[in-house]
Amino acid sequence: ESLAQAKTDAIAELNGYKLQNDYLADNWKTVQSIIAAANETINVATTEAAIEEAVADAKEKMDAVPTLRNVKDAAIEELHGYKNESDYSAAGWAIIEGIVEEGTAAINAANSQAAIDEAVRAAKAEMDEVLTAEEEAAALAQAKEEAMAELNGY
């Protein structure tokens, strides 16, 4: 194989290594810049070993760029870890789990960083509205006190 053919093959291999649909726009730009830099290195390479090294280096760098799935999984993990089950009554935790499920669906449907961020923000805000077991107990005690005061004043 000639050096020119090895260069052509290497550039084609890098161009087909990743798919744009697997990335958010900014991360795809990063992948594209890695490919562009590798293409420059490949074009000035004087040996097949240098070409192979440039390809391997570029692939390693591209593999480190988070895919859309990586970004979504991190956001879903963030939702799952946002609240602690031990802080809630069974009923309260069931509500939290429902919100996490809805948030996960919204994240999975998202196709931009802004949409993912909004899904996380909205789910967290909704979770923040759910009373903890301690808050539930305080609200119940307050309601009992008010009911007693109303009865005593009757």
Side-chain angles (χ1 to χ4, degrees):
E1 181 176 58
S2 73
L3 194 60
Q5 187 59 52
K7 289 179 180 184
T8 301
D9 292 349
I11 289 169
E13 180 180 349
L14 288 181
N15 285 328
Y17 185 63
K18 297 289 181 178
L19 299 173
Q20 184 172 357
N21 290 347
D22 292 339
Y23 292 88
L24 291 168
D26 286 347
N27 291 352
W28 182 246
K29 285 179 192 166
T30 302
V31 169
Q32 290 299 104
S33 7
I34 293 167
I35 292 171
N39 287 348
E40 288 178 26
T41 303
I42 290 166
N43 282 325
V44 297
T46 56
T47 65
E48 285 194 29
I51 294 169
E52 288 167 12
E53 185 179 325
V55 169
D57 182 52
K59 283 182 172 181
E60 185 178 323
K61 287 176 181 171
M62 284 189 275
D63 288 343
V65 178
T67 63
L68 181 57
R69 184 74 262 155
N70 298 145
V71 173
K72 286 180 178 185
D73 287 346
I76 291 166
E77 192 174 311
E78 184 180 340
L79 280 190
H80 279 275
Y82 186 61
K83 298 289 182 181
N84 295 314
E85 185 174 0
S86 60
D87 294 335
Y88 293 87
S89 65
W93 189 249
I95 294 168
I96 294 287
E97 286 181 319
I99 296 167
V100 169
E101 198 173 300
E102 289 169 12
T104 298
I107 290 166
N108 282 326
N111 58 7
S112 70
Q113 186 67 57
I116 291 169
D117 292 345
E118 176 53 27
V120 170
R121 187 210 59 72
K124 284 182 170 183
E126 208 177 325
M127 282 189 263
D128 288 342
E129 297 297 315
V130 179
L131 298 180
T132 64
E134 196 175 293
E135 291 167 335
E136 281 180 15
L140 181 60
Q142 177 70 33
K144 284 179 180 178
E145 239 177 72
E146 289 169 5
M148 289 301 290
E150 191 176 325
L151 283 176
N152 289 334
Y154 186 69

